[in-house]
Amino acid sequence: MDEQFGPEYLRPAQPDCPRCDCCTAVLCEKGRNSVLRCGGHVSDGLRDTVRGCPCSAETTKRTAAWRVAQVRVTRLARELPLGLEAEGLLRLLVDGKTGEAAEKPDELVTELKLRGLAQVVHGMPAITALGHTYLHARADVRGWTAVQITDIDKQARTATVAVPSWRPDEQVTVLLDQVLSDSQVDIDSLHGRWLVAEANSLAEDADRLVLTQFRVSPPMPPIRTGGTE
């Protein structure tokens, strides 16, 4: 009988990802659902090749890296905001005043670039999508609200969350590890659990709704049904 797995055997090639020209479909599926992105799932020799893969980038909506960045920038805006000059520069960029913004000190642009809030395009500073997220977070009304974990995807490391104060009939996806880390609730008792989180409940859509600081809901007082004690 012929040996099928001898020295000439080659592993079947994995199909290329249809959305990029640097990865396989399997790699991008992993990268999309991982904060390590595609670069965190290849050998050192291939890391530079896939480093800029758009399928797992924080600039691509609904990737794990994007979800992490939304939370990071929102918390930055609320808990440790930029200085007045840096934030003022960001507002010039959102208003399209690039000429006035270009006259600001280079270190301000550098600060915004390091945080992912701005970039340089054709030699001129420009606001990024994360820069808009930052300004939204500065302006949004945020508050504590009850949320329910309605589903868990352990493979994709995501959780589906109902936010009644936002839209009673619509749910959003968040990173499972964010919920676990924030709330310290065991994963096996998370499904169906009611928690509280900080949210911008007036958000116009699911991509603008950012949930942060998941906490165990405090016990509710008993509901009285009538009568006197």
Side-chain angles (χ1 to χ4, degrees):
M1 184 175 65
D2 294 335
E3 174 60 63
Q4 296 180 358
F5 295 94
E8 298 301 322
Y9 174 75
L10 297 177
R11 183 186 299 274
Q14 294 180 346
D16 292 336
C17 176
R19 293 176 292 272
C20 70
D21 58 4
C22 57
C23 301
T24 65
V26 172
L27 176 58
C28 282
E29 183 65 23
K30 288 181 180 179
R32 218 175 3 256
N33 296 318
S34 170
V35 295
L36 300 177
R37 312 181 202 181
C38 291
H41 298 276
V42 297
S43 63
D44 291 343
L46 293 175
R47 195 156 292 140
D48 287 341
T49 302
V50 305
R51 188 185 304 277
C53 180
C55 297
S56 60
E58 71 174 20
T59 53
T60 300
K61 286 185 177 182
R62 304 178 197 97
T63 64
W66 177 82
R67 296 188 194 282
V68 166
Q70 298 302 299
V71 172
R72 171 178 60 82
V73 170
T74 297
R75 295 198 65 172
L76 170 70
R78 306 297 293 194
E79 300 169 23
L80 193 64
L82 300 171
L84 292 178
E85 287 188 289
E87 187 167 312
L89 172 55
L90 201 60
R91 295 188 184 281
L92 287 177
L93 296 177
V94 79
D95 290 338
K97 299 178 180 179
T98 54
E100 188 174 344
E103 297 176 357
K104 298 295 182 179
D106 291 342
E107 55 265 27
L108 292 181
V109 177
T110 299
E111 179 183 354
L112 297 181
K113 284 175 59 181
L114 289 174
R115 297 181 183 275
L117 308 181
Q119 59 188 333
V120 175
V121 179
H122 303 304
M124 299 292 287
I127 191 170
T128 64
L130 280 178
H132 286 287
T133 297
Y134 175 90
L135 291 179
H136 285 318
R138 292 288 288 158
D140 282 348
V141 176
R142 296 186 62 83
W144 293 100
T145 187
V147 300
Q148 185 182 27
I149 310 301
T150 59
D151 196 17
I152 293 173
D153 187 332
K154 293 183 179 180
Q155 182 174 355
R157 304 302 297 176
T158 58
T160 305
V161 183
V163 189
S165 65
W166 174 61
R167 292 180 184 172
D169 300 324
E170 191 171 342
Q171 300 178 18
V172 295
T173 300
V174 301
L175 291 176
L176 175 59
D177 292 306
Q178 177 198 356
V179 180
L180 294 174
S181 176
D182 284 357
S183 68
Q184 297 297 302
V185 173
D186 182 81
I187 189 171
D188 293 327
S189 60
L190 193 60
H191 188 279
R193 184 78 176 259
W194 280 93
L195 303 171
V196 294
E198 191 182 80
N200 51 331
S201 295
L202 299 178
E204 59 195 25
D205 56 45
D207 289 336
R208 281 269 286 107
L209 181 70
V210 182
L211 302 176
T212 61
Q213 303 188 71
F214 289 89
R215 298 286 186 270
V216 174
S217 178
M220 300 296 290
I223 299 176
R224 297 191 178 187
T225 58
T228 58
E229 293 183 356

